[in-house]
Amino acid sequence: MDSKFLEINMGPQHPSTHGVLNLKLSLDNEVVVKVEPNLGYLHRGMEKLWENRTYAQVVPFTDRLDYFCAISNNLGYVLAVEKLMGLEIPKRAQYIRVILTEIQRIVNHIGWLGFVTNDAGAYYTINFYTFEEREEYLEIFEEYVGARLTINAIRIGGVPFDIDDKLISMIEKALVETEKKIKDIDKIVTRNRIWLHRTKGVGVFSAEDAVQFGLTGPALRASGVKWDIRKDIPYSSYDEFDFDVPTGTAGDIYDRYLVRVEEIKQSMRIIRQAIKNLPSGEIAAKVPKVLKIPEGEIFHSIEAPKGELGFYIKSNGTDKPERVKMKSPSFINMQSLESMCKGNMLADVVVILGSLDVLLGEIDK
Amino acid sequence: MIDQISKYPALENIFSSLQSVFKDSIIEGRFEKEELSVKVKKESILLILKFLRDEKGFNALSDMIGLDNSSVNKEGQKRFSVLYQLYRFPGFERIRIVIDVDENDPVDSAYPVYKSADWAEREIFDMFGINFSGHPNLRRIYMPDNFDGYPLRKDFPLEGRQ
Amino acid sequence: MADIIEKQPFVLARLDELITWGQKNSIWPFGSGLACCAIEMISTLMARYDISRFGMEVMRPSPRQADLFIVAGTVTKKMAPVVRRLWEQMPDPKWVVAMGNCAISGGPFPTYAVLQGVDKILPVDVYISGCPPTPQGLLHGLLMLRDKVGREHPTKEIFSVHDRPNK
């Protein structure tokens, strides 16, 4: 232990570590010299458990990985299984999936907005607005499947329920509300002097570094790299929608904020298009009750709200997978924390951690 | 299976140049479900990764995956496999590099080539007990340091050893 | 004495009831989120479910200022010593609510890494099932806890040293 620096422990019980995370910080006065994340406080042994469960039984577990955007996790796993089986999904089911995952993206980003401003010092002010907005969408989920948080709304082969006119009108109403709310938050946050001081030029990450560290998602796009799997390797009919991929230039926290707000607007565009062009037909393909998948392996990834979410599945001909490995966006994004924090103040660590949008459920698995 | 690759000229180009440069190191190439997976010799993994990064533009390591093959009944099958999932952009091609590893057989760490290999290798070490030589900080990442056993090995019981 | 009684208003009450009346209407929960349930706990704090109707909105980030530990989420074996220590740091009197199936029994994770129920390390007062429980469910559990607090006899603890839980 180097006695020159002050060593402090942050976590595992800390209100702004976004879960049970322990950071060992070395400080030179108030400047961060070294950050050593200590993980595993929420390691539940998911991957071992999945080897002992059937393919369909794994789906509810994926909800509990990234519990802030459960549907995206469902979709990532289910798409990998479907690709491994070579299953064709009905168009209507694909569109419903797009609607649900884009709602989930809005829920995630809007919730993030509340938490990150919370970390920057606006103690629960923005959070009250954003959580109220979030509840509107949770009500839609409750209407659709009956659950709020761990929704499990996507099944292998399609979706469990059709969406009706009542649900569509609820979604449209919520979208209008969100537009208003975004404007309100924009007024409070975007040009707020405290917010600008806390975020401009803090946690800067260049595009080369971001790629080298394997950063994905809004944090990568804020560094100026235009890479969105929805656009570049489309899945679930994303190629039929018209939307933009926002990018930043500076790669600091402020740009990450702007990118995420723009992504909410783009998600609303996608949802409106999907509702307008919703095809008719079946909502699920035929899948046998006991699902046995012949030997093979697959790696399929989707653009989750937090970044690239991939699932590697190796099957062995039985009804249980040989191995399921999840590539979680937060796990990879979190590695860059040390490089971002070095040279910044202690108080910035919290905001930088918040701006990466990590969630310990999917880091620890 | 590998002949289907001709539909994807970019991947075909990568595979043929890998075959010509690393003639002796490539064990087999497979192309299934639009994915190119190349099995290579363990000793040359670092050279191949470097080649792919510098010459072929695979600028990111997406993930590293460990596998326990003890349930596979095949002659000469080594106990573990390590998979490297690479992608490049612009262009958006993916490739999977596979190496087979025996127990207590260290692998060269990919950290000098891809920084994102840092935690991925620690995770594989924690879960399978595969050693990575040259890794700057190879410790357990999830389980406590005094934990006995490697959870994702097939002979480790789900409930753990009491 | 008679003078004072005539001039100043007063209330006669059993000391136990007076103390528990104060305790149950100003419970300060400890804001410790472990996993998924923490999100629903935060939702309960927010405007729609508004936990402050029951005087519980003062979420304390430090265990030393709190008297209710809501174990919201999966307790892993690595986290268990930390949870125990946090509970030990809370001042008496204190209560524990096990929120969600993971905290009750390990939930869907019967694995090598998860503690099968937080009651193995802490004395739990109220169990709230659900994965995760809805905010309504959490509020229901907290109201049950209020009733339980109202039935306690704090004076017994004050006057007899041996009954104190931490002794």
Side-chain angles (χ1 to χ4, degrees):
Chain A
M1 194 167 134
D2 204 329
S3 59
K4 221 174 96 186
F5 301 119
L6 175 67
E7 306 235 340
I8 60 167
N9 254 318
M10 187 170 142
Q13 161 53 33
H14 191 280
S16 56
T17 48
H18 295 249
V20 280
L21 164 73
N22 173 244
L23 295 175
K24 285 202 177 73
L25 302 165
S26 301
L27 304 177
D28 182 7
N29 288 328
E30 237 187 285
V31 178
V32 178
V33 182
K34 200 174 155 214
V35 184
E36 202 186 322
N38 187 0
L39 310 174
Y41 289 97
L42 195 54
H43 176 67
R44 292 157 289 189
M46 286 260 203
E47 285 175 357
K48 183 81 180 173
L49 199 58
W50 293 343
E51 290 172 11
N52 296 279
R53 295 287 183 268
T54 63
Y55 287 99
Q57 279 174 339
V58 173
V59 184
F61 284 105
T62 57
D63 284 322
R64 275 110 191 135
L65 286 165
D66 179 356
Y67 36 82
F68 216 67
C69 31
I71 296 180
S72 308
N73 287 268
N74 293 157
L75 186 67
Y77 171 74
V78 165
L79 280 176
V81 174
E82 282 161 359
K83 200 173 171 196
L84 191 60
M85 292 163 70
L87 202 64
E88 197 63 41
I89 307 304
K91 260 281 177 295
R92 188 175 175 87
Q94 291 189 11
Y95 270 60
I96 294 174
R97 283 176 175 188
V98 167
I99 293 172
L100 290 171
T101 40
E102 290 306 320
I103 289 177
Q104 190 74 84
R105 194 182 309 274
I106 296 176
V107 169
N108 180 72
H109 284 354
I110 210 160
W112 171 85
L113 205 57
F115 284 127
V116 80
T117 46
N118 205 358
D119 291 341
Y123 192 67
Y124 278 108
T125 311
I126 317 292
N127 235 350
F128 270 104
Y129 288 99
T130 57
F131 260 74
E132 187 52 37
E133 195 50 44
R134 203 176 150 260
E135 291 288 342
E136 297 277 334
Y137 291 105
L138 296 192
E139 259 176 21
I140 293 170
F141 291 150
E142 215 166 355
E143 174 72 25
Y144 182 61
V145 277
R148 283 162 48 88
L149 192 68
T150 45
I151 309 148
N152 192 16
I154 293 174
R155 306 285 154 82
I156 295 170
V159 286
F161 308 105
D162 208 346
I163 60 174
D164 52 11
D165 291 342
K166 190 189 168 198
L167 206 68
I168 287 174
S169 67
M170 276 173 89
I171 295 171
E172 275 165 351
K173 198 174 134 253
L175 291 181
V176 175
E177 282 295 309
T178 309
E179 263 170 1
K180 278 189 214 152
K181 203 58 74 90
I182 292 281
K183 270 183 199 144
D184 282 352
I185 292 169
D186 190 58
K187 269 184 212 157
I188 305 172
V189 179
T190 309
R191 286 166 168 278
N192 187 314
R193 263 180 71 185
I194 305 172
W195 176 245
L196 288 172
H197 276 291
R198 289 302 302 271
T199 56
K200 276 252 176 197
V202 177
V204 180
F205 221 45
S206 68
E208 295 84 60
D209 279 354
V211 173
Q212 173 68 214
F213 272 93
L215 215 67
T216 49
L220 174 71
R221 291 192 281 276
S223 295
V225 183
K226 199 168 185 170
W227 196 56
D228 189 319
I229 300 175
R230 287 178 294 171
K231 203 83 174 175
D232 299 319
I233 317 171
Y235 55 90
S236 274
S237 312
Y238 265 111
D239 45 347
E240 292 167 19
F241 298 102
D242 180 28
F243 63 99
D244 300 327
V245 179
T247 53
T249 46
D252 57 2
I253 301 175
Y254 190 70
D255 273 22
R256 282 171 213 149
Y257 157 74
L258 291 180
V259 164
R260 283 197 175 89
V261 171
E262 189 54 38
E263 270 186 23
I264 295 176
K265 290 177 189 161
Q266 296 302 329
S267 289
M268 297 199 302
R269 252 178 93 186
I270 297 174
I271 295 170
R272 288 205 168 112
Q273 288 172 44
I275 288 175
K276 203 176 143 208
N277 306 328
L278 193 64
S280 55
E282 292 286 307
I283 54 159
K286 283 249 176 323
V287 179
K289 275 256 153 37
V290 180
L291 188 61
K292 285 187 180 169
I293 299 181
E295 245 175 88
E297 55 183 348
I298 197 86
F299 183 88
H300 188 270
S301 63
I302 65 160
E303 184 73 29
K306 292 183 166 68
E308 186 205 13
L309 170 79
F311 274 92
Y312 170 84
I313 302 178
K314 188 178 164 78
S315 57
N316 55 5
T318 63
D319 56 346
K320 288 171 187 159
E322 169 87 11
R323 171 108 166 89
V324 183
K325 166 81 167 70
M326 181 218 191
K327 186 254 162 180
S328 64
S330 301
F331 183 75
I332 305 287
N333 289 0
M334 180 92 149
Q335 282 184 61
S336 48
L337 182 70
E338 181 167 9
S339 321
M340 285 186 196
C341 288
K342 256 185 205 165
N344 282 311
M345 301 291 232
L346 171 63
D348 291 333
V349 173
V350 170
V351 195
I352 293 170
L353 186 65
S355 78
L356 279 176
D357 196 9
V358 294
L359 203 129
L360 268 293
E362 71 173 357
I363 292 179
D364 286 349
K365 286 177 244 186
Chain B
M1 290 290 196
I2 193 73
D3 46 314
Q4 288 173 9
I5 201 171
S6 51
K7 277 185 235 157
Y8 297 84
L11 288 177
E12 192 182 21
N13 174 335
I14 295 158
F15 185 60
S16 57
S17 57
L18 266 179
Q19 265 183 327
S20 60
V21 177
F22 299 97
K23 218 171 277 141
D24 309 323
S25 309
I26 306 288
I27 297 171
E28 65 167 331
R30 287 201 306 172
F31 189 75
E32 272 176 49
K33 301 190 174 71
E34 303 167 18
E35 285 186 327
L36 174 63
S37 149
V38 185
K39 188 174 263 188
V40 302
K41 279 189 180 149
K42 188 190 73 121
E43 292 73 25
S44 48
I45 180 69
L46 216 54
L47 286 175
I48 288 171
L49 289 181
K50 230 175 230 148
F51 170 78
L52 285 172
R53 186 192 65 179
D54 297 337
E55 309 291 326
K56 292 287 157 202
F58 278 90
N59 38 16
L61 174 73
S62 171
D63 198 9
M64 281 174 71
I65 300 153
L67 285 182
D68 184 347
N69 302 322
S70 49
S71 55
V72 179
N73 295 318
K74 213 170 90 185
E75 194 72 22
Q77 176 71 46
K78 289 182 177 174
R79 171 83 195 260
F80 300 111
S81 299
V82 179
L83 281 59
Y84 298 77
Q85 199 69 44
L86 308 175
Y87 61 79
R88 71 173 178 191
F89 52 83
F92 315 112
E93 269 89 34
R94 294 169 183 286
I95 180 171
R96 178 159 58 231
I97 307 290
V98 185
I99 55 170
D100 280 356
V101 192
D102 263 329
E103 232 173 318
N104 305 321
D105 190 9
V107 185
D108 288 332
S109 168
Y111 181 70
V113 190
Y114 294 107
K115 279 192 180 132
S116 52
D118 182 0
W119 284 11
E121 283 177 354
R122 278 179 67 189
E123 189 190 350
I124 292 175
F125 170 71
D126 190 357
M127 292 290 138
F128 291 94
I130 299 171
N131 269 300
F132 290 90
S133 54
H135 189 282
N137 185 16
L138 196 66
R139 290 182 294 120
R140 282 186 179 272
I141 189 164
Y142 290 143
M143 306 313 293
D145 286 331
N146 57 4
F147 187 79
D148 181 36
Y150 300 101
L152 276 180
R153 286 190 179 184
K154 291 281 178 197
D155 52 7
F156 190 90
L158 175 64
E159 287 81 17
R161 300 190 186 106
Q162 295 303 324
Chain C
M1 186 69 185
D3 262 11
I4 298 169
I5 289 173
E6 273 169 24
K7 279 178 191 157
Q8 297 196 346
F10 69 99
V11 174
L12 272 180
R14 275 176 50 224
L15 188 54
D16 268 347
E17 276 178 16
L18 189 68
I19 293 172
T20 53
W21 171 76
Q23 280 175 345
K24 76 178 184 186
N25 285 308
S26 66
I27 293 176
W28 285 13
F30 172 36
S32 157
L34 299 175
C36 337
C37 292
I39 305 292
E40 287 297 64
M41 191 170 77
I42 297 167
S43 293
T44 318
L45 270 177
M46 294 301 165
R48 183 157 302 198
Y49 296 100
D50 197 14
I51 201 175
S52 59
R53 288 176 289 165
F54 310 106
M56 293 182 191
E57 80 277 23
V58 195
M59 275 277 175
R60 297 280 88 185
S62 162
R64 294 177 197 282
Q65 300 163 344
D67 41 25
L68 168 63
F69 195 151
I70 302 176
V71 185
T74 321
V75 184
T76 60
K77 283 179 184 163
K78 193 170 178 180
M79 190 64 192
V82 184
V83 169
R84 171 77 195 185
R85 192 162 156 198
L86 288 167
W87 177 79
E88 279 167 357
Q89 285 177 345
M90 285 164 64
D92 275 327
K94 55 191 168 192
W95 298 276
V96 177
V97 169
M99 180 184 180
N101 290 356
C102 293
I104 295 173
S105 67
F109 308 112
T111 62
Y112 56 92
V114 176
L115 187 74
Q116 302 298 308
V118 75
D119 47 8
K120 293 205 164 122
I121 52 167
L122 302 183
V124 178
D125 292 288
V126 177
Y127 297 87
I128 305 167
S129 66
C131 191
T134 54
Q136 294 96 324
L138 178 62
L139 285 174
H140 178 68
L142 292 175
L143 290 177
M144 275 170 72
L145 181 78
R146 264 162 63 105
D147 291 346
K148 190 179 172 182
V149 173
R151 288 196 303 270
E152 280 178 1
H153 298 284
T155 49
K156 219 162 114 190
E157 282 170 21
I158 293 168
F159 294 122
S160 81
V161 182
H162 305 289
D163 286 354
R164 285 189 192 168
N166 260 10
K167 275 283 156 193

